Amino acid sequence: MRLATWNVNSVRARCDRVVDWLERSDTDVLAMQEIKCKPEQFPREPFEAAGYELAIHGLNQWNGVAIASRVGLKDVQTSFPHQPSFGKPGQDPVVEARALGATCGGINVWSLYVPNGRGLNDPHYAYKLAFLEQLREQALGWADAPTALVGDFNVAPRTADIWSEEDSEAETHVTDEARAAFHAFEAAGYEELSRRFIPADNTYTFWDYKQLRFPKNEGMRIDFIYGSAPLAQRATAVTIDRNERKGKGASDHVPVVLDIES
DNA sequence: ATGACACAGAAACTGTGA
């Protein structure tokens, strides 16, 4: 089975590219982030014509997560228990569309879009840390089953995972506490599988659209695949499909792909 | 080569991302 994660940065703007890639890459399950639309706006037809079922969770033009599967899709959950909410001062907090769980081919798959954090003194940063902490709490209970926590974690775990730790736009991605919150999944029984297969420094999954970041390979490694022990022991390969950042109309993230033996 | 922000919604700009 082939399981992938991809922050597509609008599924409507990227639909043709995403479906083309799905078919070319022979992917069975794709977890998407930043679909940037409501379910009724999602371009279902090309996915379904290609043989995929869909689970979609989107509230507005922000965030949004989805799962496309051709190996079954059931037990859909549009948030995890105690998932933190967020709201601007004076507004009612909302549990945003940042987590979507489903059982696909016997695997408990979570498509995750961890809050960016925005700035170290921004309430969004505390929200980011709380999101990771509460997710870890829930993940403890899923660790004995084959579980995949995949998506955009918005954390660059090591110095070699970011082109410059001084980049002010990524300050919330490199702090000790963000990195500790990221690594806490290891103590919860999970292994980050892209690292096992792709340990090389300066191997990125995101490059900003601005300032020639991609041609200069100035990116960040922030998209990951955590597998519980029962899943990790079945992992055979991971690839990062850097080609998907090329050309006009690319997302700023690329797919990360896990192969699992049955 | 891979190339100098992009997306959505509202309104000719703003919020958001990282």
Side-chain angles (χ1 to χ4, degrees):
Chain A
M1 181 170 137
R2 183 161 284 170
L3 166 67
T5 180
W6 194 1
N7 179 325
V8 297
N9 186 21
S10 170
V11 72
R12 286 181 287 176
R14 214 77 58 213
C15 180
D16 291 347
R17 267 187 95 123
V18 173
V19 175
D20 284 352
W21 179 84
L22 257 183
E23 298 189 297
R24 269 188 289 119
S25 65
D26 198 30
T27 293
D28 296 303
V29 181
L30 174 62
M32 290 167 267
Q33 301 87 38
E34 282 209 87
I35 63 170
K36 292 188 170 179
C37 67
K38 301 173 187 177
E40 59 268 31
Q41 298 172 307
F42 194 102
R44 290 173 171 273
E45 289 77 11
F47 285 87
E48 290 170 349
Y52 294 85
E53 294 177 84
L54 291 164
I56 301 161
H57 182 42
L59 302 175
N60 48 43
Q61 70 269 48
W62 310 120
N63 318 308
V65 281
I67 297 173
S69 172
R70 62 180 187 189
V71 292
L73 186 61
K74 58 181 184 179
D75 311 325
V76 174
Q77 296 177 262
T78 56
S79 66
F80 56 82
H82 308 296
Q83 182 178 322
S85 56
F86 186 76
K88 292 178 179 175
Q91 295 183 357
D92 290 336
V94 174
V95 177
E96 298 179 315
R98 294 180 176 275
L100 180 66
T103 304
C104 303
I107 296 174
N108 178 27
V109 177
W110 281 92
S111 179
L112 302 163
Y113 179 43
V114 176
N116 170 293
R118 297 180 183 165
L120 298 179
N121 295 315
D122 194 302
H124 212 257
Y125 179 56
Y127 174 42
K128 172 182 193 165
L129 298 175
F131 187 98
L132 285 165
E133 168 58 21
Q134 289 302 319
L135 177 62
R136 187 198 67 87
E137 286 289 321
Q138 294 305 313
L140 282 168
W142 308 326
D144 293 335
T147 300
L149 310 178
V150 309
D152 178 355
F153 282 76
N154 270 320
V155 177
R158 305 179 309 161
T159 300
D161 292 330
I162 182 167
W163 70 279
S164 168
E165 288 184 308
E166 280 69 53
D167 178 7
S168 62
E169 292 180 338
E171 63 183 359
T172 65
H173 295 49
V174 299
T175 61
D176 288 345
E177 51 194 350
R179 286 171 166 169
F182 179 83
H183 287 294
F185 290 90
E186 294 163 10
Y190 292 77
E191 177 184 355
E192 203 291 290
L193 295 164
S194 83
R195 193 74 69 185
R196 186 205 295 179
F197 294 99
I198 310 177
D201 291 349
N202 312 115
T203 301
Y204 305 130
T205 63
F206 163 90
W207 298 261
D208 200 298
Y209 288 118
K210 293 181 280 189
Q211 296 175 277
L212 289 172
R213 291 280 191 250
F214 182 55
K216 289 152 72 174
N217 196 33
E218 294 177 344
M220 291 194 284
R221 184 167 181 168
I222 54 178
D223 299 272
F224 296 101
I225 296 177
Y226 266 116
S228 65
L231 181 70
Q233 68 187 12
R234 292 165 53 193
T236 59
V238 169
T239 57
I240 296 171
D241 198 346
R242 199 172 180 284
N243 282 330
E244 287 307 308
R245 185 62 180 82
K246 297 179 182 178
K248 194 171 175 61
S251 171
D252 41 6
H253 296 249
V254 296
V256 182
V257 187
L258 169 69
D259 284 340
I260 306 157
E261 65 185 2
S262 50

